Amino acid sequence: MSREVILEIQNLKKHFGGLKAVNDVSFKLFKGETLALIGPNGAGKTTLFNTICGVYKPTGGKVFYEGKEIQGLKAHEIARIGIVRTFQIAHPFRDITVLDNVVLALGLDDYKGLSRIFKLSHKKKNVDRAMELLEKVGIREQWNKKAGELSLGYMKRLGIARSLALNPGILMLDEPCAGLSFDATRAFMKLIEDLQKGGTSIIIIEHDMHVTMGVSERVVVLNYGEKIAEGNPYEVQRNPQVIEAYIGKEDESA
Ligand SMILES: Nc1ncnc2c1ncn2[C@@H]1O[C@H](COP(=O)(O)OP(=O)(O)O)[C@@H](O)[C@H]1O
Ligand SMILES: [Mg+2]
């Protein structure tokens, strides 16, 4: 059975002057798949995310989302068509409640211009949907707390709830477990598994190899802006080039 491709990256490049931060990277993401993007510090992972989601204009190459070319679109246009990077809206408004943060994000879903971004609409439909999303990410009981009072782990869950409010086709997570305790990381992995069961397509950058190997079906490895390996977590972990570039470096510094 061939799987449906939701995102295809073709020879994507992002150069900063002479620095080839992302160079000729190609890969596909299948619908419902979780793909991990790994590589040592400075490998170009975040730049690749920024180039896919329109924060940066690519120096070259193409991005297809559901078969349509989207490179060159602006970040908010790309978010609206369904590629949502949590960081874009992960920083909650700290002085309003958890619920209101999600209601605001629901408002973003149908915004037609900047002026409508801050429209808080407490229609029953929006409140119900927001509570559903809080339930989904496991922070329903915190609905009436100020977002600024949440722990980091809960704050990140709120970020996911706000991202899900945009009905993403693809969720892009840049090191979602950074700074989380062991327990919060485990809980976050469980949340990712729940999203997978719900059919969400995910690209995740994560330093924690345990998380990467635990949640992803496939792994793409970057080094100096180039893709050096791609495969299932088992294959990739045993790839000599990857060990050299990434795992080897970690061992040296341990
Ligand atoms: N806006 C920028 N301007 C110039 N160089 C950048 C910029 N963003 C990232 N870089 C450089 O691009 C390379 C890749 O960085 P980054 O994508 O952040 O790596 P990673 O996320 O894999 O750690 C690094 O050498 C970094 O210094
Ligand atoms: Mg990064």
Side-chain angles (χ1 to χ4, degrees):
M1 194 183 82
S2 71
R3 298 178 71 178
E4 197 178 331
V5 174
I6 186 163
L7 184 78
E8 180 163 5
I9 309 298
Q10 279 181 0
N11 304 100
L12 202 64
K13 295 187 184 74
K14 179 63 199 175
H15 299 174
F16 298 110
L19 178 75
K20 298 175 177 176
V22 172
N23 204 27
D24 259 327
V25 172
S26 302
F27 64 88
K28 289 175 185 167
L29 174 73
F30 297 103
K31 217 165 217 168
E33 180 185 37
T34 298
L35 179 91
L37 189 60
I38 69 168
N41 256 330
K45 305 179 296 292
T46 297
T47 304
L48 178 57
F49 260 34
N50 282 331
T51 311
I52 293 171
C53 71
V55 172
Y56 296 142
K57 206 172 149 63
T59 306
K62 290 182 174 177
V63 179
F64 296 87
Y65 175 64
E66 294 190 320
K68 291 185 206 79
E69 279 190 36
I70 61 156
Q71 75 279 353
L73 292 184
K74 297 205 172 70
H76 72 268
E77 292 168 335
I78 291 181
R80 274 180 56 74
I81 62 172
I83 303 180
V84 174
R85 183 176 166 186
T86 50
F87 121 102
Q88 289 168 304
I89 60 165
H91 297 292
F93 298 100
R94 303 179 67 89
D95 293 330
I96 64 173
T97 66
V98 167
L99 177 68
D100 282 350
N101 265 281
V102 181
V103 170
L104 262 178
L106 285 166
L108 271 180
D109 192 32
D110 58 18
Y111 94 101
K112 303 233 165 28
L114 283 175
S115 59
R116 290 187 58 190
I117 284 188
F118 294 104
K119 206 181 88 192
L120 238 186
S121 165
H122 281 110
K123 282 183 228 150
K124 182 171 183 313
K125 176 183 92 165
N126 283 356
V127 173
D128 288 352
R129 177 72 184 134
M131 288 304 274
E132 242 174 66
L133 291 169
L134 291 176
E135 170 94 51
K136 189 164 188 166
V137 303
I139 56 169
R140 190 179 214 275
E141 282 171 17
Q142 326 292 322
W143 70 274
N144 202 21
K145 268 199 181 164
K146 291 249 170 73
E149 291 165 7
L150 296 179
S151 67
L152 180 63
Y154 279 5
M155 195 95 77
K156 291 192 173 197
R157 284 160 179 267
L158 175 58
I160 300 267
R162 298 178 74 215
S163 301
L164 293 175
L166 304 187
N167 279 320
I170 301 174
L171 204 54
M172 300 180 81
L173 307 167
D174 191 347
E175 302 196 30
C177 295
L180 294 189
S181 68
F182 181 78
D183 286 344
T185 299
R186 290 281 299 268
F188 206 88
M189 284 173 73
K190 173 77 176 50
L191 169 57
I192 293 174
E193 280 162 22
D194 290 343
L195 295 174
Q196 290 169 335
K197 282 182 200 141
T200 309
S201 310
I202 300 171
I203 309 184
I204 180 172
I205 297 175
E206 184 52 61
H207 266 301
D208 185 328
M209 288 302 255
H210 179 71
V211 173
T212 305
M213 300 303 164
V215 302
S216 62
E217 289 173 58
R218 258 181 340 126
V219 182
V220 164
V221 189
L222 292 187
N223 195 26
Y224 296 112
E226 307 208 348
K227 185 174 89 173
I228 59 164
E230 175 177 356
N232 69 43
Y234 183 85
E235 291 166 342
V236 159
Q237 253 182 328
R238 280 156 189 76
N239 179 311
Q241 258 189 299
V242 176
I243 294 169
E244 167 71 24
Y246 186 77
I247 301 162
K249 274 185 193 162
E250 259 189 4
D251 287 349
E252 274 167 32
S253 61

